[in-house]
Amino acid sequence: MDIQNNIERTRAWGIAKGITGTNGTGSIKRQTEKLLEEFEETRSALERLPLAKTPAEAWDVLDEIKDGLGDMMVVMILIGEMTGLPIEDCLDSVIDIISARTGRMVDGQFVKDK
């Protein structure tokens, strides 16, 4: 797995489909709506995972989650291209910040110190 290669393939796909690039007609608003749609589908699958009754059912739900996470990454890469903020730069800028955060786990969620 080479994430940088996949990011570049996603960028090329966005240009080829006319979403991004100099001739792209994609809309940030529509891409944001698509991101929310994919998020909701992924959230729904995540909620169903603990309810899976068989290993086969769990694998099916995990496939939905995997697909949803991938779809969200594609849309975020395209939004980055549309705004001139490459996804690598976005991740670089936040990882330095969050790696220095302190906090604690509360009800299954990391809550940063103020």
Side-chain angles (χ1 to χ4, degrees):
M1 171 179 62
D2 179 5
I3 193 160
Q4 190 61 48
N5 182 52
N6 287 334
I7 290 170
E8 293 305 326
R9 287 177 59 204
T10 301
R11 287 180 174 130
W13 177 85
I15 292 168
K17 297 301 179 190
I19 300 168
T20 59
T22 48
N23 296 320
T25 58
S27 154
I28 292 172
K29 179 179 187 282
R30 292 292 295 140
Q31 290 301 307
T32 303
E33 291 167 355
K34 184 67 175 169
L35 183 60
L36 291 172
E37 174 187 318
E38 297 297 348
F39 174 80
E40 286 301 325
E41 289 175 7
T42 305
R43 184 175 67 105
S44 174
L46 286 163
E47 289 172 350
R48 289 194 324 276
L49 185 59
L51 306 175
K53 293 181 168 75
T54 66
E57 190 177 327
W59 281 113
D60 287 345
V61 175
L62 285 169
D63 280 343
E64 287 182 52
I65 294 166
K66 183 179 188 179
D67 182 69
L69 292 173
D71 286 343
M72 286 189 289
M73 289 179 70
V74 165
V75 176
M76 289 188 295
I77 291 165
L78 297 179
I79 291 172
E81 291 302 294
M82 296 169 96
T83 59
L85 297 168
I87 200 73
E88 300 92 336
D89 293 353
C90 298
L91 184 57
D92 282 345
S93 72
V94 74
I95 199 69
D96 290 338
I97 294 167
I98 67 169
S99 64
R101 282 187 182 148
T102 59
R104 64 193 183 293
M105 291 297 294
V106 178
D107 294 326
Q109 179 178 356
F110 182 79
V111 177
K112 66 181 179 177
D113 292 333
K114 302 219 183 219

